[in-house]
Amino acid sequence: MHLADEYRALKDAGRRDLGGVAVRNLLVLMTEQSHLFLRSAETKPLKSRVLDKSYVAFALGNKISRAVNAALFISDPAELAASLTAFADGSLARANPIGIQRTLYTLTMSFCAANDLWKVGDKKTPATYFEFLIGHLFAERLGVNPRKWIPVPGEARSSLPTDYIFELGPRRANFHLPVKLSTRERVIQAWAHQRVIDGIYGVKTYRGCLVVLAETKLDQKTLEVVEICLPLQWRVYQKYIAELWRIYYIDPPARYADLAGVKPIGVLYDELD
Amino acid sequence: MHLADEYRALKDAGRRDLGGVAVRNLLVLMTEQSHLFLRSAETKPLKSRVLDKSYVAFALGNKISRAVNAALFISDPAELAASLTAFADGSLARANPIGIQRTLYTLTMSFCAANDLWKVGDKKTPATYFEFLIGHLFAERLGVNPRKWIPVPGEARSSLPTDYIFELGPRRANFHLPVKLSTRERVIQAWAHQRVIDGIYGVKTYRGCLVVLAETKLDQKTLEVVEICLPLQWRVYQKYIAELWRIYYIDPPARYADLAGVKPIGVLYDELD
């Protein structure tokens, strides 16, 4: 089966049962296939302008993938197989934070980089894939599938489209889960939606939990990689729009390490439990 | 001078003195040139799915422009010349609302449609042009040039980038002016920024004033035109994020007519005075 078909299957399975085993198996299969494809491509070192991080890109003909953090991407097939097994059988939750981080990074980046070279789908495809991956993780762990809307009081038969909303019932936390490959200007939407949710349901009813892959930007001409960070804007959004409970990064920028709520993805399982 | 050079000149002049005569003259010149260019293109009727509105597009070879509202676009060169004279000498402010509306629509759409066919600049170019046009209108009328940032209290040497901010001094209104060719999902940013501004300075210190061209969408294959409207979402944003004082439309969708604050652009001069 071709990656594009699997992507369609993933969307179908995700709509039926996001936390289910069919989604998990498709994520594993798509990662294996993407990884196999990337191994046939050339690996190009990039010029890192980010302290203590080095990056590569995959290249095929005149096409080049996005920047891949060399320390987080699992390139060895045997190590990948072991990581995917742990992801598939659920034992990943008990791995160390670095292992969790590298596995989730590779699950995301294999498909994204393959899509850059192979054009499985349009620009939106990698973002949607990542949303399914993170949505699956939460759904599986929390034992409940999400909605993507909230009802609006006082408006008959009306709902507001949102990112994932997880409702766990009485005495347990609910979650509002925006998922982004990187933030840039659009991220203000996550805080604005949290504000609407807080306004309708009261603050702390839904924990806002933003999950981001990385803030990496590759200049295709110079092959330089930078991280684009706006810590001041984030503090302003947290203070004046709404408070997000957590911002999980798969590849956390060092400049965000001091911001309240920012955590590496490796602690996710512990925090959800 | 080519349109691309004028566009660069517009950006330079706009940064120096947005409300000044140099900007106004460039807007007039660019409209004249764009209009002349469009007259050499083919005019294609489109299938309108919008009640009481009919649309055309300009076509050249296999390229087609965005949808143009036939009733609002001034196609007659003599009428255009008179309208541009009124815009240039300031007498447009005393014209009737329909005249104001058609003049501003044509000032916007001539360049945008020409850019679609002629590729003066990238996708962002028409949006920036429209921002300059509306920014100029406010700056000229209010007698003050805007900033594009607000200082953030408690953060040394820090500012938050925003849309236009007009400060008129004591006893007069201040304005926060987001400008968009159409809204779609990104528009939530206008409300989120208003929330931050209200939070820092107190509500009603800056009047939020969103200016939008239209909500038209053209299907390039079927040549059908629809208007994409989300009145429920707008009500939710107004209620739970922040209140925008006005939402001015150059080509107002009928479905937004009932929303509080929504006005046709024709009343703008009266309201600002």
Side-chain angles (χ1 to χ4, degrees):
Chain A
M1 191 158 56
H2 185 275
L3 265 176
D5 298 319
E6 285 161 6
Y7 176 68
R8 270 190 296 276
L10 178 71
K11 288 205 291 186
D12 283 348
R15 280 193 202 104
R16 276 196 303 273
D17 180 10
L18 187 60
V21 72
V23 167
R24 194 170 352 162
N25 289 344
L26 278 162
L27 290 166
V28 168
L29 187 64
M30 290 171 82
T31 301
E32 286 169 344
Q33 287 202 2
S34 301
H35 206 271
L36 195 65
F37 169 67
L38 291 174
R39 294 207 292 275
S40 72
E42 184 195 345
T43 305
K44 248 190 158 71
L46 302 174
K47 291 171 207 136
S48 173
R49 296 286 173 251
V50 186
L51 192 68
D52 295 333
K53 290 186 182 178
S54 69
Y55 299 92
V56 297
F58 297 98
L60 197 71
N62 57 0
K63 279 191 243 172
I64 187 160
S65 77
R66 62 196 66 200
V68 176
N69 184 320
L72 293 181
F73 190 78
I74 301 170
S75 46
D76 177 57
E79 190 189 346
L80 178 71
S83 296
L84 290 180
T85 302
F87 175 74
D89 70 16
S91 62
L92 183 66
R94 298 185 300 274
N96 64 54
I98 303 291
I100 293 172
Q101 183 183 22
R102 296 184 74 221
T103 301
L104 295 179
Y105 188 83
T106 310
L107 270 157
T108 309
M109 200 45 99
S110 301
F111 178 75
C112 291
N115 184 66
D116 291 339
L117 299 183
W118 202 0
K119 213 67 204 146
V120 180
D122 61 15
K123 246 175 114 179
K124 230 187 127 201
T125 303
T128 307
Y129 172 89
F130 185 53
E131 216 177 278
F132 277 106
L133 169 64
I134 301 301
H136 167 78
L137 221 109
F138 273 71
E140 191 272 327
R141 209 66 202 160
L142 299 172
V144 56
N145 280 322
R147 284 191 275 114
K148 290 203 79 172
W149 51 271
I150 51 164
V152 178
E155 303 270 358
R157 286 183 303 283
S158 298
S159 59
L160 183 75
T162 59
D163 295 294
Y164 290 129
I165 298 285
F166 290 89
E167 302 196 312
L168 281 81
R171 285 161 183 262
R172 294 184 64 198
N174 301 307
F175 291 92
H176 165 224
L177 180 72
V179 179
K180 311 268 173 207
L181 285 173
S182 74
T183 62
R184 311 281 187 279
E185 64 184 54
R186 268 168 190 259
V187 78
I188 199 172
Q189 196 190 44
W191 275 275
H193 277 156
Q194 185 64 39
R195 169 91 210 159
V196 170
I197 292 167
D198 287 354
I200 294 178
Y201 297 102
V203 289
K204 292 181 205 275
T205 309
Y206 290 83
R207 289 182 175 177
C209 207
L210 171 64
V211 181
V212 186
L213 175 66
E215 300 296 359
T216 305
K217 188 166 180 273
L218 168 63
D219 185 317
Q220 300 251 359
K221 275 181 206 151
T222 63
L223 298 185
E224 284 186 357
V225 184
V226 294
E227 268 180 349
I228 297 178
C229 296
L230 303 164
L232 167 74
Q233 294 190 23
W234 285 41
R235 283 199 298 274
V236 168
Y237 300 162
Q238 284 282 68
K239 199 164 168 182
Y240 292 105
I241 302 178
E243 204 175 325
L244 295 177
W245 175 67
R246 287 285 182 272
I247 300 162
Y248 291 110
Y249 267 99
I250 314 256
D251 179 7
R255 290 169 61 199
Y256 282 163
D258 294 338
L259 291 184
V262 172
K263 303 248 176 178
I265 196 80
V267 303
L268 175 71
Y269 288 110
D270 279 347
E271 293 205 331
L272 286 187
D273 286 346
Chain B
M1 193 157 57
H2 185 275
L3 265 177
D5 299 318
E6 286 161 6
Y7 175 69
R8 269 190 296 275
L10 178 71
K11 287 206 289 186
D12 284 348
R15 277 191 204 107
R16 276 197 302 275
D17 180 10
L18 187 61
V21 71
V23 168
R24 194 169 353 159
N25 289 344
L26 279 163
L27 291 166
V28 169
L29 187 64
M30 291 171 80
T31 302
E32 286 170 345
Q33 288 201 5
S34 300
H35 206 270
L36 195 65
F37 168 67
L38 292 174
R39 294 207 293 275
S40 72
E42 186 195 344
T43 306
K44 250 193 156 71
L46 301 174
K47 290 171 208 136
S48 172
R49 296 286 172 250
V50 185
L51 192 67
D52 296 332
K53 291 186 183 178
S54 70
Y55 298 92
V56 298
F58 297 99
L60 196 71
N62 58 359
K63 280 189 243 171
I64 188 161
S65 77
R66 63 196 64 198
V68 176
N69 184 321
L72 293 181
F73 189 78
I74 301 171
S75 48
D76 177 56
E79 190 190 346
L80 178 71
S83 297
L84 290 180
T85 301
F87 175 73
D89 69 17
S91 63
L92 182 67
R94 298 185 299 276
N96 63 55
I98 302 292
I100 294 172
Q101 183 182 23
R102 296 184 74 221
T103 301
L104 295 179
Y105 188 82
T106 310
L107 270 157
T108 309
M109 199 46 101
S110 300
F111 178 75
C112 292
N115 184 66
D116 291 340
L117 298 184
W118 203 0
K119 214 63 203 149
V120 181
D122 61 13
K123 246 176 116 181
K124 229 188 128 200
T125 302
T128 307
Y129 172 89
F130 185 53
E131 217 178 277
F132 277 106
L133 169 63
I134 301 301
H136 167 78
L137 221 110
F138 273 71
E140 193 272 327
R141 208 67 201 160
L142 300 172
V144 57
N145 280 323
R147 283 190 274 114
K148 292 203 79 174
W149 51 271
I150 51 165
V152 178
E155 302 271 357
R157 287 182 304 282
S158 297
S159 60
L160 183 75
T162 58
D163 294 294
Y164 291 128
I165 297 287
F166 291 90
E167 302 197 311
L168 281 80
R171 284 162 184 262
R172 295 182 66 197
N174 301 307
F175 291 92
H176 165 226
L177 182 72
V179 179
K180 311 267 174 210
L181 285 173
S182 74
T183 62
R184 311 284 187 278
E185 66 186 53
R186 268 169 190 258
V187 79
I188 198 171
Q189 195 190 45
W191 274 274
H193 276 157
Q194 185 65 41
R195 169 92 209 157
V196 170
I197 292 167
D198 287 354
I200 294 178
Y201 297 101
V203 289
K204 292 183 207 276
T205 310
Y206 289 83
R207 288 181 176 177
C209 206
L210 171 64
V211 181
V212 187
L213 176 66
E215 300 296 359
T216 304
K217 188 165 181 272
L218 168 62
D219 185 316
Q220 301 251 1
K221 275 183 207 151
T222 63
L223 297 185
E224 284 186 356
V225 184
V226 294
E227 269 180 349
I228 298 179
C229 296
L230 303 164
L232 167 74
Q233 294 190 23
W234 285 40
R235 282 198 298 273
V236 168
Y237 300 162
Q238 284 282 68
K239 200 164 168 182
Y240 292 105
I241 302 178
E243 204 175 325
L244 295 177
W245 175 67
R246 287 285 182 273
I247 300 162
Y248 290 110
Y249 267 100
I250 315 256
D251 180 6
R255 287 169 63 200
Y256 281 164
D258 294 338
L259 291 185
V262 171
K263 303 250 177 177
I265 195 80
V267 303
L268 175 71
Y269 288 109
D270 279 349
E271 293 205 330
L272 286 188
D273 288 344

